[in-house]
Amino acid sequence: MLEQVLPDIYRIEVPIPHSPLKATNAYLIRGNERNLLVDTGQNRPESLNALKEGLSKLSVDLGVTDIFLTHMHADHSGLLPFIKTATTRVYASAEDAGRVNYMLTADDPMKNLYHAAIRNGFSSEEAKLAIRRHPGNAAGKQAPLEFSFIEDGDGVQVANYHFVCIATPGHTQGHICLYEPEKRFLISGDHILGDISPNITHFLGEGDPLADFLGSLKKVENLMVDKVLPGHRRIFTDCRGRIRELIEHHQRRAAEVLRILSDAPATGYLVAARMTWDMVYRDWTEVAPAQKYFATGEALSHIHFLERQGLVRRREEPEIVWYCRS
């Protein structure tokens, strides 16, 4: 689907086959000399065809079109190698640009995620199935991309729009939103979504992505925003109301995880199995391995959030990690 959402700004719905997300919203901003495409879509033939069709309908010359990447996830960055030209500048945070190039160039980019899944309670077979369906697996090995790095507070001008880059870590460490303060709208990527809650996952690395995400929500809450152009689903208007809903959602999630860990020690996988999810299934065994993977990653982000507050403690064994209430 192609629609004009603001003067010189068009939304192109890029389908994500076999995913509950359904589609990624790519935004084409028509400029006087150069255009800007915000996000691309997943590396799938259906996605590439839909994006090219939308750009063709707008008579977009890719040779004078730059790309802004809100974050590194494959459903937003996967088509970069197939859309960029020799004259395209690709803007992204240094953190997420590095992750994109790692996924493109590593011999086995999913190896660490596979081992992390097993360490957090997956069986070897279910971990293999989950990783096989992981969106990042669709990239295939390619040459690294050249990026122009952007940071919090940087400006980006396209036509009559004067955007400010807003660093919003949480969904990914290098997530960036585009804010237009004069016209009061936000291109939010996956930082704020209207119909679903952004997945906050924590299989790898140090830090506290849920705390980062909540801090980023409060940062954006201070902005004057009349319209939000998100990375998925519908465009919406009540930015502050949605931020309050997301904060309350994660407060309920954290309380639920704490109750689960009050009963007995559990792995991230076992915690996720007992959490309440907006999925159609009668039993955890019916959930597809890829969905279990994302659910477990979300459970772990809440576990680690509580752990940093001293409310949860871990017990590390050679092959697996257990958590319990302090």
Side-chain angles (χ1 to χ4, degrees):
M1 183 182 77
L2 173 68
E3 67 167 327
Q4 184 171 357
V5 296
L6 286 166
D8 293 320
I9 300 183
Y10 302 83
R11 175 173 66 157
I12 304 171
E13 279 195 349
V14 182
I16 310 173
H18 314 298
S19 169
L21 281 175
K22 299 180 181 178
T24 297
N25 292 329
Y27 295 97
L28 189 284
I29 307 171
R30 195 191 297 278
N32 299 324
E33 296 181 358
R34 297 192 68 81
N35 309 308
L36 185 68
L37 177 66
V38 181
D39 291 337
T40 62
Q42 192 163 316
N43 180 10
R44 293 291 298 268
E46 306 95 316
S47 309
L48 181 59
N49 290 340
L51 180 60
K52 283 186 171 180
E53 181 181 353
L55 295 172
S56 176
K57 287 181 179 179
L58 295 171
S59 301
V60 171
D61 179 356
L62 289 173
V64 293
T65 300
D66 298 319
I67 299 173
F68 185 97
L69 189 65
T70 61
H71 63 293
M72 53 78 61
H73 284 158
D75 55 325
H76 292 256
S77 66
L79 293 178
L80 272 174
F82 309 101
I83 292 297
K84 73 179 295 295
T85 70
T87 55
T88 300
R89 294 187 70 180
V90 182
Y91 299 95
S93 67
E95 295 92 338
D96 279 23
R99 291 299 301 170
V100 169
N101 276 336
Y102 173 78
M103 296 300 290
L104 289 175
T105 60
D107 290 329
D108 187 359
M110 309 303 292
K111 179 180 179 179
N112 290 340
L113 294 179
Y114 167 77
H115 288 298
I118 293 195
R119 187 158 175 74
N120 285 284
F122 278 76
S123 69
S124 177
E125 184 59 32
E126 202 162 36
K128 288 177 182 176
L129 291 171
I131 294 302
R132 190 178 303 157
R133 291 296 304 274
H134 192 286
N137 246 340
K141 193 168 183 180
Q142 300 179 48
L145 300 174
E146 183 177 340
F147 288 92
S148 296
F149 297 144
I150 49 173
E151 298 180 351
D152 187 46
D154 284 350
V156 177
Q157 182 173 352
V158 191
N160 294 320
Y161 294 109
H162 302 271
F163 293 104
V164 179
C165 297
I166 309 293
T168 48
H171 183 64
T172 67
Q173 188 57 35
H175 194 289
I176 300 274
C177 297
L178 280 176
Y179 174 53
E180 222 295 355
E182 181 181 340
K183 303 186 173 56
R184 295 169 53 138
F185 70 91
L186 181 77
I187 302 179
S188 68
D190 281 6
H191 178 52
I192 307 172
L193 304 173
D195 299 309
I196 52 178
S197 60
N199 180 254
I200 311 300
T201 189
H202 197 208
F203 270 107
L204 297 174
E206 300 298 324
D208 189 344
L210 179 54
D212 292 340
F213 177 68
L214 295 173
S216 295
L217 286 177
K218 291 176 181 177
K219 178 180 179 180
V220 172
E221 190 176 22
N222 294 325
L223 305 177
M224 300 299 294
V225 177
D226 295 333
K227 180 175 286 191
V228 180
L229 279 56
H232 302 281
R233 309 287 178 90
R234 66 182 174 89
I235 293 168
F236 59 98
T237 55
D238 187 8
C239 184
R240 287 180 176 167
R242 183 57 181 153
I243 286 172
R244 288 193 295 270
E245 290 175 353
L246 289 170
I247 291 172
E248 291 168 1
H249 165 78
H250 286 290
Q251 289 172 339
R252 291 193 300 271
R253 272 271 192 256
E256 182 180 34
V257 168
L258 204 55
R259 287 194 299 272
I260 292 169
L261 290 175
S262 297
D263 295 337
T267 63
Y269 180 94
L270 292 174
V271 171
R274 293 184 57 190
M275 290 173 70
T276 305
W277 300 104
D278 186 17
M279 293 187 282
V280 180
Y281 66 94
R282 291 170 296 180
D283 186 82
W284 178 251
T285 59
E286 297 179 357
V287 179
Q291 294 305 310
K292 286 182 178 179
Y293 176 85
F294 288 111
T296 300
E298 179 119 351
L300 287 167
S301 73
H302 289 80
I303 291 170
H304 297 156
F305 176 76
L306 293 165
E307 184 182 19
R308 291 219 163 195
Q309 298 178 48
L311 299 173
V312 165
R313 55 188 172 87
R314 72 172 70 192
R315 185 177 81 244
E316 297 202 27
E317 298 181 0
E319 302 295 331
I320 200 165
V321 182
W322 297 88
Y323 298 93
C324 65
R325 185 165 182 169
S326 296

